[in-house]
Amino acid sequence: MTTYRVAGKGRVDTGQPVTFTFDGKRFEGCAGDTVASALLANGVHLMGRSFKYHRPRGPVTAGSEEPNALIGTRRGAGQFEPNTRATVQEIWDGLETTSQNKFPNLKFDIGAINDFAYMLFSAGFYYKTFMWPKNFWHKVYEPFIRKAAGLGVSPTEEDPDTYASRNLHCDVLIVGAGPTGLAAARAAAVGGVNVVLIDENVECGGTLLSKPNAEINGMPSWDWLAAELVSLRSLGVKIMTRTTAIGYYHQNMIGMVEKLTDHLSDLPKDTPRERMWHVRAKQVILAQGALEKPLVFHGNDRPGVMLAGSAQTYLNRYGVLVGKRPVIITSHDSAWDAAFDLADAGADVRAIVDTRETVDEELQSQARMRGIGMKLSHTVTATSGRLRVSSIRVNPIDDGKAGDGLIIPCDALLMSGGWTPSLHLFSHTKGSLTWNEDQTTFLPKDTPEDCTIAGASRGLWGIENVLIDGASAGVKVAMALGKESQTRQHKVTHDRIGSGVSQIELPTDKSSGKAKAFVDFQNDVTAKDLRLAVREGMRSIEHVKRYTTNGMATDQGKMSNINGLNIAADALNKPQPQVGLTTFRPPYTPTTFGAFAGYHRGDHFEITRKTQIDSWAQENGAVFEPVGQWRRARYFPKRGEDMDTAVGRECRTTRAHVGIFDASTLGKIEVVGPDAVEFMNRMYTNPWTKLAAGRCRYGLLLGDDGFIRDDGVIGRMSQDCFHVTTTTGGAARVMNMMEDYLQTEWPDLDVWLTSTTENWSTIALNGPKAAKLLAPLVDGVELTEDAFPHMSCAECTVAGMPARLFRVSFTGEIGFEINVPAPMGRKLWETLWQAGQEHGITAYGTETMHVLRAEKGYIIVGQDTDGTVTPYDAGMGWAVAKTKKDFVGMRGLMRPDLVASNRRHLVGLLTEDGTKLEEGAQIVFDPHQAIPMTMVGHVTSSYHSDAMGRPIALALVECGQNRMGETVYIPMPDRTIAAKITSTVFFDPSNSRVKIPSGEML
Amino acid sequence: MTRFNAFNLLKNAVSSNKNWTEQWPDSQPKDEYDVVIVGAGGHGLGAAYYLAKEHGITNVAVIDKGWLGGGNTGRNTTIIRSNYLYDESAKLYDHSVDLWENLSQELNYNVMYSRRGVLMLAHNVHDVQSFSRHIHANRLNGVDNRWLTPQECKDYCPPLSISQHARYPVMGGALQERAGTARHDAVAWGYARGAAARGVDIIQNCAVTAIRRHPDGSVAGVETAKGFIKAKKVAVSAAGHTSVVMQTADVRLPLESYPLQALVSEPVKPIFPCVVMSNAVHAYISQSDKGELVIGSGTDQYTSYSQRGGLPLIEHTVAAITEIFPMFNRMRMLRKWGGIVDVTPDRSAIISKTPVPNLYVNCGWGTGGFKATPGAAHTFAWTIAKDTPHPINAPFTLERFQTGRLIDEAAAAAVAH
Ligand SMILES: Cc1cc2nc3c(=O)[nH]c(=O)nc-3n(C[C@H](O)[C@H](O)[C@H](O)COP(=O)(O)OP(=O)(O)OC[C@H]3O[C@@H](n4cnc5c(N)ncnc54)[C@H](O)[C@@H]3O)c2cc1C
């Protein structure tokens, strides 16, 4: 095989061979190669197929802006990723790569048949067709289109790699470590600020890596670079390579992704594959440089047609000649330099074709010196060669028209249409742009962020210019941070600044309708498509983009946007700014999902909150359920029990003896201060003024719309201190709501709110023997009906632990809730469990809690209410104070619809045939009506009740409270169930069981 | 307007596609219109189309501050479904789906309505209860929606992980097979083309700065970047900016505007056959015909008018997706963006007359109004033309926030104990 490696060139290590495979074939490259550079060194240009026409494609670039050379990369099981840019993927021993979007193989691809139907597949053709016959869309056309689309194939296995994330704070973040960024970093660091300098490439240097001939301050550029990096490090600059700034967010927050292992053959243990950095920088300097523009002409997409600057990079960075007989086609001086570099490295440069009439005399004489033929005022009108360019047709331009052509054989065609500043991140800041007619490009103007853009990113060319500009950006940010700094002098020789003209499509000798001059390579968008879009009324660049898909490929328009804009503007005969520039959207380059997810995978997807008693439940065989972020014990099955039998037993035992329940997940908020009672009066519907210290009360919280938001028992621990409990799921919401009111509506109130959910472990004891069990353990309160009646609370000690004890019941039995400092929770639980053995204690979970409370008609907010239920609907009008001036939701409650006569009320339901209803089932009055039926409510809770010996249900039913005893119907798919409306209280309606029998010996 | 058909396609292909004509002209404002619609999104353009087609009102302008379809219409994740809980919503969205099914033919523009099925996942007992309520209600309303077991979910959507070791294991799902997606731009363009062909002026890059009123309070016209335009009636469909526009007519709307973000992956060959939504973990996903995974998140935490959301929310969304579909962890995000959505207190839209005579509003679509585009536009046109509610949009009044007669679709998402 011929090799295209040039001895003595490049920064790769030719002494260190690396083997990898491409489509199953082994290739050898050097350490430091990318897949693209290694394949090019082996003479391979064909690396992929395009999206729509499946045209053969090779790399056009040498960087992250590559649209064509996309490959699948694979390391091992689960470690495959599609659409990797061959131009940035470093090779390592054993790397497997595959080409994409081809069948049966890359060299012969059936899909290329689309290429012949080119005229049919013009821009927007999808919108105009596939409509007849109608049902064909779903069955035939769409599946066909979908199959044709897409590039690579998705991974199908779980990813074994890990991903990390970190925060970083710095004074100055500099994005891009080319000459601009390097100079900026030094100037800022000398000023004494803390600097982070990043680059997406493997090494710093940017354009310098492709320009070894330049001399900076008397040193060859690579030596200067090496020395500069040493001194930056010694100044404390943090330098991060393989790190891409993907997005610029509010208040100078930058998201960055660092690649850690994709270049390694052997993975170090426990190293994440990528790391997402959240950076907050006081100042940001954007020094992302510029991107070279392709030229647009018929056949500009053939493998072997490449950007001239990229060819120069392949030569100088990788020591690879992309062709031995290249031709240059350009409208910019920079490609001449590329030609000279290639010629000096031994290439037989066949010609420099320049569209311009006049070119700098110095360049011409250099070409002459090297014996390179020049064709000024010429264009390329065609390329040929099936899988790699083998010749081109060059034509003189006369008055904008192409004259007679001349065929030049070649093995590469290097193009340059000039350079476009990289404005992506600047654009993320919502920075404004201004059109620069001289350079035919947008330049940055203002940004709302503390952001400076420097160097080629703002349209400055030449190393010396950008060094100076970078340095002054560094000084500027140092000064903005209150530090002094100075720019250094920079003198650069062999600095080629160059100029050029911008082109739309090059003149052609073909009928313009037939030319396939590509603008967006990957998506196969041609100049003709853009003009068609304009012809069809697409006048803004966003419309043109969306209609043609120009700029929507995985290079995100880096190759195509500006050419697309120039052509659209020409077609519209309007200046570019009036046609607009499409917004650049993050991420800057495609970014692995895993890097965004970071640590939030599997168990860590969202933290699992566990109570102090959770471990006991686990050891004792509990079945758990997720409730918000918490996991809670649902029931405690004994051997052989299913949920229903376990729950039946837990219910029975609790009602007959005593049950113990972990209520620690309940939200708890401490409301303290001289105005605490006023605050409570305003927040909750209930009156609080007369609640004595040492007593508690069921509190109901509404939204300002008058609907129930939360509930819970609230104890008045002292005159100015309330212990508020909330639902488990509502804890954060209630806290936020309280803070919101306190801070925005009632800042005058002297009240402090503290979330204490995690400060307390809360254990509920319920059952006829609860008092008997607990009394011996309590110090400081006498657990008699007189001394500590139902709805009392007190500070005391329980089993020697400081506690807040509540006498409350969510079961209808004698009940206590014991709060102890959280870490003591398990000890208290075990003490109670031990003490309970002689009383026949059972542990119970959320399911039993639900059944027991439903038997008593106690609601669960969010299950029996859904944000449309008022206290009156829920049968809890008693909880609404009648004489308070105001409380949250009071006005809402008075709205006409909330006091209308047809509201849905919470009622009990007993099925006539004794079946258990399905929660969520809908209720109708007339079961014989046709669909759509008039629904009058739904079943909110439904359980088998052990105490009642039958299923019970709660439901919201229209006017239910006025329909006691009436029959309603629940139409199920297979049959209709009849049920009778009853009170919500099924068990012990007189509430006699919560009393500790008087005279009971404790 | 050139009709799109096989003959014209071939004819034009042969002539190098040089004879296609513009789909809508670049209109400049006239002095006066019967109806001015503010906002050239799907809703505004659709209303203009139906005004012209069904009510014979063609002296209509649709005015947009940017380019047509550049608002949320061109930014959304295009999920279309109608399995809403309340009768009022079910009727409106089902009317919409009926229209979706024939929209390509109706407009002679392929909007690529893809009936690929929407699967909503349940991850906890509360989800199961809530879905069960939806499924029963939908069945009695004649709306398609059914329960799938975890294994059935997996069969329907093979990339799904139903591992019981997941942080929030899948407990089942609700599937609406009739639901799916459509091509958002095509909806705006198809309506624009159809409306323009019937004489409607579409005026782009012309911000409406104020609604002007007669001394008697009724609408006189709109002030715009291109001068005053007289109008007998003004209808506002400006999504996240509706409240700002309406304020100039002294109408205060109960809207909050939030950024809502979405993203796509790099394109891959077909791997994802349907749409999956998970409210519990806040993410939804489908695969576009181009091959990109299209992923949406919940709204950002804070109200804002800047079409630019934060990174943490996106991280959470992607984490949620890779949690449910672990095989996508090595896929790459290609781009992400945000739109400003207008959210009402009950999460249902407002399609309504207003206290100002001859001023109408269609807004409050929040995170889910794309699916309603044809149905809402269709009934809104009726309301504008006849100055009365359409039976289907009648419940979606502005007054309901005063009367309390809410259509609270968010309510069912309240969190349990
Ligand atoms: C990221 C994201 C994902 C979404 N996903 C879905 C989904 O999957 N399914 C779904 O059903 N819905 C979804 N939605 C919601 C959906 O996009 C919107 O509800 C719907 O598109 C609204 O359409 P519209 O025509 O009312 O608004 P828009 O399309 O936003 O149109 C409003 C227009 O008003 C113009 N305007 C504003 N102010 C003025 C002014 N002063 N003068 C002139 N013009 C003005 C704007 O420029 C804009 O073009 C999503 C939204 C977003 C942002």
Side-chain angles (χ1 to χ4, degrees):
Chain A
M1 176 174 290
T2 43
T3 165
Y4 290 78
R5 190 80 66 180
V6 187
K9 281 270 176 193
R11 299 171 68 87
V12 295
D13 185 351
T14 45
Q16 211 183 313
V18 175
T19 49
F20 67 102
T21 63
F22 177 58
D23 279 343
K25 201 169 153 200
R26 275 173 55 109
F27 285 94
E28 194 168 287
C30 311
D33 261 329
T34 62
V35 172
S37 69
L39 287 175
L40 289 170
N42 285 281
V44 177
H45 272 259
L46 176 64
M47 295 185 200
R49 290 267 172 178
S50 66
F51 193 87
K52 195 155 75 168
Y53 302 131
H54 292 247
R55 287 170 68 93
R57 291 287 165 79
V60 253
T61 76
S64 67
E65 68 273 33
E66 175 60 32
N68 278 342
L70 304 187
I71 53 173
T73 37
R74 186 169 184 280
R75 181 183 288 276
Q79 294 165 303
F80 167 83
E81 53 280 333
N83 302 338
T84 305
R85 282 146 290 152
T87 49
V88 296
Q89 174 63 49
E90 295 165 64
I91 55 169
W92 42 269
D93 268 319
L95 169 67
E96 295 168 41
T97 69
T98 41
S99 61
Q100 308 189 135
N101 203 29
K102 37 91 218 271
F103 177 83
N105 62 48
L106 188 57
K107 291 198 173 146
F108 177 77
D109 176 12
I110 302 257
I113 194 134
N114 288 359
D115 204 10
F116 296 100
Y118 170 66
M119 287 306 169
L120 213 50
F121 291 154
S122 59
F125 88 105
Y126 296 99
Y127 304 121
K128 298 175 186 153
T129 183
F130 301 128
M131 290 183 274
W132 329 272
K134 185 183 146 190
N135 59 357
F136 264 45
W137 169 252
H138 193 54
K139 299 212 179 75
V140 184
Y141 300 135
E142 194 187 22
F144 170 78
I145 292 174
R146 295 194 70 183
K147 241 168 99 179
L151 288 163
V153 295
S154 163
T156 54
E157 295 164 301
E158 196 163 330
D159 181 359
D161 286 337
T162 58
Y163 299 81
S165 80
R166 289 269 292 272
N167 292 320
L168 181 69
H169 295 259
C170 60
D171 291 333
V172 182
L173 173 71
I174 300 172
V175 180
T180 312
L182 291 166
R186 173 182 277 269
V190 163
V193 298
N194 132 296
V195 178
V196 176
L197 173 66
I198 68 153
D199 200 289
E200 61 172 345
N201 282 288
V202 180
E203 46 179 343
C204 294
T207 189
L208 298 180
L209 299 174
S210 311
K211 306 246 158 93
N213 301 336
E215 276 182 17
I216 304 175
N217 303 337
M219 283 158 99
S221 67
W222 289 2
D223 294 347
W224 180 85
L225 172 62
E228 198 64 13
L229 289 174
V230 170
S231 73
L232 285 179
R233 287 206 173 86
S234 70
L235 283 166
V237 174
K238 181 179 170 76
I239 298 175
M240 300 168 71
T241 55
R242 296 194 182 91
T243 303
T244 305
I246 58 162
Y248 199 137
Y249 300 89
H250 297 94
Q251 274 106 38
N252 266 12
M253 179 180 153
I254 317 298
M256 313 196 312
V257 173
E258 181 182 14
K259 291 201 173 136
L260 297 161
T261 62
D262 272 2
H263 59 293
L264 299 176
S265 169
D266 298 314
L267 294 191
K269 227 174 119 47
D270 299 327
T271 299
R273 179 173 172 234
E274 294 177 12
R275 178 180 292 132
M276 174 76 78
W277 291 88
H278 292 187
V279 186
R280 286 272 178 200
K282 290 184 190 143
Q283 294 282 337
V284 172
I285 296 175
L286 296 177
Q288 291 176 281
L291 295 169
E292 194 166 21
K293 267 189 306 191
L295 285 169
V296 181
F297 54 93
H298 180 67
N300 64 343
D301 66 323
R302 218 172 276 282
V305 183
M306 185 186 285
L307 291 170
S310 300
Q312 206 174 4
T313 296
Y314 281 117
L315 177 63
N316 291 321
R317 255 181 87 180
Y318 301 101
V320 175
L321 267 181
V322 299
K324 293 186 174 165
R325 291 168 295 129
V327 175
I328 313 294
I329 168 72
T330 184
S331 64
H332 195 277
D333 295 347
S334 65
W336 291 66
D337 295 321
F340 302 155
D341 278 7
L342 265 74
D344 296 346
D348 170 14
V349 178
R350 287 300 167 90
I352 298 177
V353 182
D354 200 311
T355 60
R356 297 172 293 177
E357 279 170 35
T358 53
V359 172
D360 182 27
E361 194 43 53
E362 156 72 13
L363 288 176
Q364 296 197 42
S365 79
Q366 287 218 29
R368 249 177 252 118
M369 203 175 79
R370 291 177 171 87
I372 303 174
M374 289 170 284
K375 298 213 167 289
L376 301 192
S377 209
H378 271 66
T379 173
V380 171
T381 55
T383 61
S384 45
R386 196 169 74 88
L387 301 175
R388 163 112 184 237
V389 66
S390 57
S391 70
I392 60 170
R393 189 165 68 233
V394 175
N395 312 50
I397 310 173
D398 191 13
D399 198 18
K401 301 228 164 40
D404 289 342
L406 162 84
I407 304 288
I408 305 181
C410 62
D411 65 353
L413 176 60
L414 310 181
M415 59 182 165
S416 178
W419 297 79
T420 312
S422 194
L423 294 169
H424 302 73
L425 288 177
F426 183 81
S427 203
H428 297 174
T429 70
K430 298 248 152 186
S432 61
L433 307 179
T434 114
W435 179 253
N436 182 296
E437 192 55 48
D438 284 349
Q439 297 195 24
T440 332
T441 194
F442 281 104
L443 294 179
K445 201 171 151 207
D446 301 318
T447 160
E449 302 285 354
D450 285 323
C451 167
T452 307
I453 183 162
S457 295
R458 66 182 197 97
L460 297 174
W461 311 122
I463 298 170
E464 187 169 303
N465 286 338
V466 303
L467 281 170
I468 292 167
D469 195 50
S472 52
V475 170
K476 184 185 134 194
V477 300
M479 278 166 58
L481 293 166
K483 300 283 161 99
E484 297 264 314
S485 185
Q486 273 168 8
T487 51
R488 285 198 314 164
Q489 283 302 310
H490 287 292
K491 193 77 219 131
V492 181
T493 48
H494 303 296
D495 191 8
R496 298 148 166 180
I497 294 175
S499 65
V501 300
S502 177
Q503 289 282 359
I504 50 171
E505 309 97 304
L506 299 187
T508 176
D509 57 359
K510 252 180 141 50
S511 115
S512 68
K514 296 247 157 37
K516 290 182 202 169
F518 289 89
V519 179
D520 186 317
F521 292 103
Q522 190 182 109
N523 279 352
D524 283 326
V525 181
T526 61
K528 204 164 52 74
D529 289 321
L530 296 169
R531 291 185 184 275
L532 171 60
V534 169
R535 194 172 311 128
E536 291 198 75
M538 306 294 168
R539 287 178 196 85
S540 89
I541 196 65
E542 273 291 348
H543 281 164
V544 172
K545 162 181 160 182
R546 286 157 182 256
Y547 197 65
T548 61
T549 73
N550 189 63
M552 297 179 83
T554 61
D555 67 324
Q556 277 243 57
K558 292 192 184 76
M559 285 292 97
S560 52
N561 272 354
I562 191 76
N563 278 332
L565 175 64
N566 288 338
I567 292 168
D570 181 68
L572 282 160
N573 200 14
K574 278 191 190 162
Q576 282 84 340
Q578 277 184 36
V579 183
L581 183 69
T582 55
T583 331
F584 296 106
R585 304 192 188 286
Y588 178 67
T589 51
T591 304
T592 312
F593 280 4
F596 288 94
Y599 296 117
H600 296 276
R601 272 170 88 192
D603 289 346
H604 299 284
F605 166 59
E606 243 178 46
I607 189 126
T608 303
R609 296 172 79 184
K610 293 178 185 171
T611 70
Q612 297 291 325
I613 296 149
D614 179 275
S615 54
W616 188 92
Q618 170 106 36
E619 288 156 26
N620 285 272
V623 173
F624 293 94
E625 67 163 333
V627 180
Q629 290 173 327
W630 292 98
R631 78 163 191 171
R632 301 191 73 182
R634 195 171 183 193
Y635 56 99
F636 292 84
K638 296 201 162 150
R639 188 186 294 274
E641 282 185 336
D642 61 8
M643 182 166 97
D644 288 346
T645 30
V647 169
R649 174 184 47 74
E650 289 171 12
C651 288
R652 207 156 42 243
T653 315
T654 303
R655 291 230 184 271
H657 307 286
V658 61
I660 184 167
F661 174 70
D662 179 6
S664 306
T665 63
L666 285 181
K668 292 170 271 296
I669 299 168
E670 193 94 342
V671 177
V672 182
D675 293 328
V677 70
E678 176 63 19
F679 177 76
M680 291 301 295
N681 276 333
R682 293 188 194 179
M683 285 307 301
Y684 281 79
T685 61
N686 322 61
W688 299 95
T689 313
K690 292 198 185 132
L691 184 72
R695 297 289 294 163
C696 45
R697 176 167 287 167
Y698 172 81
L700 204 51
L701 181 72
L702 309 184
D704 54 10
D705 52 11
F707 297 121
I708 296 174
R709 283 290 185 283
D710 204 80
D711 67 351
V713 169
I714 295 161
R716 191 163 192 177
M717 305 314 297
S718 63
Q719 248 349 77
D720 59 1
C721 172
F722 290 83
H723 178 113
V724 175
T725 64
T726 74
T727 60
T728 295
R733 243 179 304 130
V734 173
M735 180 74 187
N736 284 345
M737 180 172 162
M738 286 183 171
E739 280 290 1
D740 194 11
Y741 274 98
L742 191 57
Q743 292 179 29
T744 65
E745 305 290 326
W746 313 319
D748 52 310
L749 291 189
D750 206 355
V751 179
W752 294 270
L753 306 173
T754 312
S755 166
T756 53
T757 305
E758 304 220 332
N759 298 53
W760 298 106
S761 282
T762 307
I763 296 171
L765 271 185
N766 280 270
K769 307 214 177 116
K772 223 181 257 168
L773 189 167
L774 187 59
L777 300 170
V778 176
D779 263 336
V781 192
E782 197 190 337
L783 295 196
T784 62
E785 191 60 36
D786 289 341
F788 198 64
H790 189 55
M791 300 309 264
S792 298
C793 58
E795 308 235 14
C796 58
T797 57
V798 177
M801 300 170 221
R804 279 187 182 172
L805 181 63
F806 283 69
R807 173 123 182 252
V808 291
S809 172
F810 202 40
T811 60
E813 303 296 332
I814 298 166
F816 297 94
E817 280 181 12
I818 311 142
N819 297 279
V820 292
M824 299 180 180
R826 178 155 177 170
K827 190 166 145 225
L828 176 64
W829 178 278
E830 284 175 350
T831 310
L832 294 169
W833 180 249
Q834 275 311 319
Q837 291 309 312
E838 60 173 290
H839 301 289
I841 194 169
T842 181
Y844 67 91
T846 50
E847 199 62 28
T848 290
M849 179 266 283
H850 283 170
V851 178
L852 295 176
R853 66 86 202 177
E855 290 172 342
K856 291 293 297 176
Y858 297 143
I859 64 162
I860 290 205
V861 172
Q863 179 171 347
D864 301 300
T865 72
D866 63 1
T868 66
V869 178
T870 69
Y872 301 101
D873 300 340
M876 295 195 294
W878 51 264
V880 183
K882 303 295 174 296
T883 54
K884 282 204 294 189
K885 261 206 333 279
D886 198 10
F887 57 85
V888 174
M890 185 176 184
R891 265 167 48 96
L893 262 184
M894 292 189 287
R895 290 186 292 177
D897 200 63
L898 278 75
V899 295
S901 57
N902 62 345
R903 295 210 49 93
R904 291 182 177 183
H905 299 150
L906 191 71
V907 293
L909 283 187
L910 293 173
T911 53
E912 292 182 352
D913 63 358
T915 42
K916 192 181 132 201
L917 292 169
E918 206 176 288
E919 285 167 353
Q922 296 289 317
I923 298 166
V924 300
F925 291 145
D926 170 11
H928 303 296
Q929 54 186 319
I931 281 174
M933 290 193 177
T934 303
M935 290 167 257
V936 295
H938 75 284
V939 178
T940 62
S941 295
S942 171
Y943 310 96
H944 180 81
S945 162
D946 184 78
M948 306 301 294
R950 58 160 302 147
I952 57 168
L954 297 175
L956 284 164
V957 179
E958 193 174 297
C959 300
Q961 282 153 12
N962 317 333
R963 292 177 187 269
M964 287 297 146
E966 290 182 24
T967 301
V968 292
Y969 299 90
I970 296 97
M972 299 302 285
D974 50 345
R975 68 196 177 109
T976 296
I977 303 168
K980 201 178 275 340
I981 298 182
T982 69
S983 152
T984 53
V985 185
F986 298 96
F987 182 73
D988 185 26
S990 64
N991 226 12
S992 59
R993 298 176 64 94
V994 295
K995 285 214 167 56
I996 301 174
S998 60
E1000 176 163 339
M1001 284 310 295
L1002 292 169
Chain B
M1 181 181 98
T2 320
R3 259 197 91 70
F4 297 151
N5 54 37
F7 174 74
N8 275 336
L9 268 171
L10 273 175
K11 193 178 88 180
N12 275 288
V14 170
S15 60
S16 302
N17 289 310
K18 286 202 162 154
N19 298 321
W20 288 113
T21 52
E22 57 187 7
Q23 298 185 4
W24 55 84
D26 189 16
S27 301
Q28 292 309 311
K30 294 191 282 196
D31 293 341
E32 179 174 4
Y33 290 95
D34 290 340
V35 179
V36 161
I37 296 176
V38 184
H43 283 262
L45 293 165
Y49 173 82
Y50 292 114
L51 272 177
K53 180 173 177 238
E54 305 214 333
H55 304 280
I57 303 175
T58 57
N59 185 24
V60 175
V62 188
I63 307 181
D64 203 288
K65 67 181 164 107
W67 35 281
L68 70 86
N72 293 344
T73 298
R75 293 164 188 269
N76 80 98
T77 47
T78 78
I79 297 172
I80 295 170
R81 62 183 181 92
S82 64
N83 49 355
Y84 282 74
L85 180 62
Y86 289 104
D87 304 354
E88 296 88 343
S89 317
K91 282 204 187 85
L92 174 62
Y93 289 107
D94 231 32
H95 177 54
S96 227
V97 172
D98 288 342
L99 293 173
W100 276 117
E101 287 183 336
N102 289 301
L103 198 58
S104 294
Q105 284 70 26
E106 161 85 27
L107 297 176
N108 181 237
Y109 209 95
N110 193 347
V111 300
M112 302 179 204
Y113 176 55
S114 168
R115 239 174 39 202
R116 58 181 68 178
V118 173
L119 175 61
M120 301 170 83
L121 299 176
H123 296 273
N124 54 45
V125 175
H126 183 262
D127 282 351
V128 175
Q129 287 165 345
S130 156
F131 287 3
S132 158
R133 184 178 172 195
H134 279 76
I135 289 169
H136 285 297
N138 289 154
R139 178 169 46 85
L140 300 188
N141 264 327
V143 173
D144 144 50
N145 197 12
R146 68 190 167 91
W147 177 254
L148 299 189
T149 63
Q151 186 56 50
E152 287 169 333
C153 290
K154 171 105 185 137
D155 294 343
Y156 196 77
C157 181
L160 179 67
S161 159
I162 52 170
S163 161
Q164 287 311 295
H165 305 296
R167 174 68 181 86
Y168 295 114
V170 172
M171 295 176 76
L175 172 67
Q176 184 176 35
E177 277 171 299
R178 195 187 177 200
T181 59
R183 175 88 185 97
H184 51 25
D185 291 328
V187 176
W189 299 340
Y191 275 126
R193 173 168 167 268
R198 288 173 171 78
V200 171
D201 282 353
I202 298 165
I203 301 159
Q204 305 182 68
N205 295 310
C206 175
V208 170
T209 48
I211 296 169
R212 217 203 275 170
R213 297 161 67 182
H214 291 300
D216 70 356
S218 65
V219 147
V222 291
E223 297 288 355
T224 77
K226 297 184 179 174
F228 177 68
I229 303 172
K230 238 164 104 180
K232 297 201 179 80
K233 294 179 175 181
V234 171
V236 180
S237 266
H241 292 89
T242 303
S243 45
V244 184
V245 175
M246 293 296 284
Q247 210 149 34
T248 66
D250 296 327
V251 179
R252 233 184 118 195
L253 292 175
L255 294 178
E256 287 186 310
S257 293
Y258 289 91
L260 178 67
Q261 301 189 73
L263 61 105
V264 293
S265 73
E266 295 182 320
V268 287
K269 296 288 175 197
I271 180 84
F272 203 87
C274 57
V275 181
V276 172
M277 310 178 66
S278 168
N279 289 338
V281 300
H282 286 299
Y284 39 100
I285 173 168
S286 63
Q287 187 177 17
S288 74
D289 283 350
K290 223 178 147 244
E292 300 154 334
L293 297 175
V294 180
I295 294 169
S297 42
T299 49
D300 276 28
Q301 298 273 350
Y302 299 99
T303 52
S304 161
Y305 286 111
S306 111
Q307 283 174 332
R308 157 187 192 216
L311 178 60
L313 199 94
I314 286 296
E315 291 181 319
H316 176 78
T317 301
V318 174
I321 290 297
T322 57
E323 173 68 6
I324 317 175
F325 306 100
M327 66 153 83
F328 293 146
N329 211 47
R330 291 175 97 90
M331 291 281 286
R332 298 190 197 93
M333 181 193 296
L334 175 55
R335 68 177 166 271
K336 69 183 189 68
W337 64 90
I340 301 303
V341 298
D342 42 338
V343 178
T344 62
D346 66 356
R347 302 293 191 273
S348 287
I350 302 167
I351 314 175
S352 180
K353 297 174 59 169
T354 68
V356 175
N358 302 330
L359 178 62
Y360 310 85
V361 69
N362 171 15
C363 66
W365 288 102
T367 60
F370 177 69
K371 59 181 72 67
T373 305
H378 183 242
T379 63
F380 190 41
W382 165 297
T383 300
I384 301 166
K386 299 188 193 292
D387 194 36
T388 76
H390 182 281
I392 288 180
N393 70 27
F396 294 86
T397 57
L398 190 50
E399 293 91 74
R400 74 176 188 275
F401 301 100
Q402 269 140 31
T403 65
R405 186 152 194 81
L406 305 181
I407 308 164
D408 202 333
E409 290 292 340
V415 179
H417 259 264

